[in-house]
Amino acid sequence: MTNPRPKRSRLVFFLSLSGLLSIAIFFIEWIGSRESGSLALFADAGHIFTDVFAHIISLFALLIASKKPTNKYPFGFHRFEVLAALFNGILLIGIAIFILYESYLRFSGSTHVEPDSMFAYAVIGFAINLVSAGLLVRVSKTSLNLKSAYLHVLSDLLGTLAVVIGALLIRFTGFREVDHFLSIILGIFILKTSYGIVKESIEILIEADTSEFDKEHLLEHIRAFQGIESVPKVTVRKLTSGVFSVELQILVKKDGDRDKIVLEIHKVLKEEFGVPFVSVEILSAELKTELEIISVRETEREFGHHGHSHGHAHDHHH
C-alpha cells in the first residue's frame, strides 16, 4: 500500500524556503571568494547558483503537476515533475564533471588565499546549507522531483564542507592540494547519485514496470471478490513518486455481477491504495481467447491511423 503524499502546499513552502536559503548562500560565498581570493569558495558559489536554478525548475514542476487532468492530458501533468527531475539529474552530472575538471586544473596551478576569511564564509554557508537540507530531507522521500532538489542541496553541503576542511588545512599545514582531493571525492559522489535520479526518471518516462507498487497485496484483495475467475493482467504505471495508474484485465464467471466487481475494484484501488487512475477490463474466457488471436497491423504502428487508408469501410454493422 502506498503512503499518502504530503499536501502540495507544504511541499511548495519547503522548496521555496530552501531556494531562498540557497540564494543567500550564493551571495555570501561569492562575496567571501572575492575577499579571501579562494577559487574553491568561488566554485562552490557557482555550484550553489546552479542549485538555485534547480529549485526554480522543481518549484515550477510542482505547480504544473497540480493542474487537473483534461481530455488531452488524461493523467494530468504529473510527468512534468519527472521531466524536472530528469533535467536536474542531467544538471547534476554536468556539475560533477565540472568539479572533476576544475580539480584537475587546480593540480597544475597555485593560488594565494586567506584561509581565515575563507573559513569564516564557508562556515556560514555550511550552517545555512544544513538548515536547507533539513527542510528537504523528509519531503524528498515523497517526490522524485524533490529528491533531485534535495540532492542538489546535499551536494552543496558537502562542497561547502570540503571548503571548510580545505581552509583549516591550509591554515594549519599549508597543504593546499587537499582541496583538490576533496573536490574529486565530491564530484564522484554527485556523479553516482545523479545517475540514480536520471535512471529512475527514464524508467518512469518509458513506463517500465515498477516494484514500488505491491501487486500481490492488490491481487489478494481482488481474488477475494465473488464472481472473479482470474486476473490475467495487471499493468501498473508510475506517473511520478507516489502516483500510479493501474489497468486490470479480469476474467469473470458466467454468473458474476460485472458492475459490482468493477465498483469493488475501484473502491479498493482508490480508497485503500490511493490510486487515482483506474481502468478495469471485464472479459469472459471465451472473449479473451478471441482477443488473443487478433493480430496487430504492423503498418499502423509506423504510419498511424490518421489517413484511414486501411482498405475497409467504416460501417461495422453485421
Side-chain angles (χ1 to χ4, degrees):
M1 193 177 298
T2 58
N3 293 324
R5 308 180 82 203
K7 288 184 178 179
R8 194 169 297 271
S9 58
R10 182 169 172 261
L11 299 182
V12 169
F13 171 75
F14 279 107
L15 190 60
S16 301
L17 187 55
S18 175
L20 289 173
L21 291 175
S22 293
I23 292 172
I25 298 167
F26 166 72
F27 281 109
I28 288 168
E29 293 199 350
W30 179 66
I31 294 169
S33 68
R34 296 187 66 181
E35 288 193 7
S36 67
S38 169
L39 182 60
L41 199 59
F42 177 78
D44 196 50
H47 182 197
I48 288 170
F49 180 76
T50 310
D51 175 52
V52 173
F53 180 64
H55 272 74
I56 293 171
I57 295 170
S58 297
L59 185 60
F60 176 75
L62 270 176
L63 296 173
I64 288 292
S66 65
K67 296 179 69 175
K68 300 294 183 183
T70 64
N71 290 333
K72 187 174 182 179
Y73 304 104
F75 294 114
F77 297 84
H78 294 290
R79 290 282 168 85
F80 275 93
E81 289 188 65
V82 182
L83 289 171
L86 176 62
F87 186 81
N88 285 356
I90 293 171
L91 204 58
L92 276 167
I93 291 174
I95 289 168
I97 293 171
F98 171 77
I99 290 172
L100 293 173
Y101 178 70
E102 284 294 310
S103 300
Y104 166 75
L105 291 179
R106 288 173 198 172
F107 271 107
S108 59
S110 60
T111 54
H112 298 283
V113 300
E114 297 177 11
D116 293 338
S117 177
M118 176 183 174
F119 175 78
Y121 281 100
V123 165
I124 294 171
F126 181 80
I128 300 174
N129 241 322
L130 203 60
V131 174
S132 183
L135 288 171
L136 294 180
V137 64
R138 287 188 178 180
V139 293
S140 68
K141 298 174 183 178
T142 65
S143 167
L144 182 60
N145 179 29
L146 287 173
K147 184 179 179 182
S148 67
Y150 169 66
L151 285 175
H152 272 284
V153 172
L154 190 61
S155 66
D156 292 341
L157 187 66
L158 293 175
T160 310
L161 179 61
V163 176
V164 170
I165 294 171
L168 287 172
L169 288 172
I170 292 170
R171 174 69 176 81
F172 293 107
T173 69
F175 185 59
R176 292 183 175 86
E177 285 75 11
V178 70
D179 182 49
H180 312 331
F181 290 113
L182 288 170
S183 297
I184 290 171
I185 294 170
L186 172 62
I188 293 171
F189 170 78
I190 297 172
L191 203 60
K192 182 178 180 296
T193 51
S194 57
Y195 168 76
I197 286 289
V198 171
K199 180 175 178 287
E200 188 176 356
S201 300
I202 291 174
E203 286 178 350
I204 293 174
L205 292 173
I206 65 174
E207 299 187 349
D209 188 48
T210 176
S211 58
E212 290 183 31
F213 191 87
D214 193 348
K215 289 184 182 179
E216 289 304 316
H217 188 198
L218 173 64
L219 289 173
E220 286 177 12
H221 279 274
I222 293 175
R223 286 168 181 156
F225 297 153
Q226 291 184 352
I228 290 181
E229 187 173 313
S230 66
V231 185
K233 187 177 179 181
V234 180
T235 302
V236 179
R237 291 184 177 90
K238 184 177 178 181
L239 303 179
T240 187
S241 293
V243 181
F244 301 90
S245 73
V246 176
E247 295 178 9
L248 293 160
Q249 190 178 74
I250 307 291
L251 291 189
V252 295
K253 298 175 182 177
K254 290 184 178 180
D255 59 345
D257 188 336
R258 297 191 173 203
D259 288 347
K260 185 179 180 183
I261 289 170
V262 172
L263 178 62
E264 288 176 338
I265 290 173
H266 271 261
K267 279 187 174 181
V268 165
L269 277 165
K270 291 177 179 177
E271 294 178 358
E272 296 193 34
F273 287 81
V275 176
F277 305 103
V278 181
S279 179
V280 184
E281 184 180 38
I282 299 291
L283 306 173
S284 63
E286 293 79 8
L287 178 57
K288 184 177 185 298
T289 303
E290 289 186 34
L291 292 177
E292 288 174 347
I293 63 174
I294 298 175
S295 60
V296 178
R297 184 176 176 179
E298 295 295 329
T299 53
E300 296 299 341
R301 296 184 184 181
E302 183 177 356
F303 301 111
H305 198 71
H306 305 294
H308 290 346
S309 57
H310 38 58
H312 67 264
H314 277 200
D315 185 3
H316 294 294
H317 296 294
H318 297 288

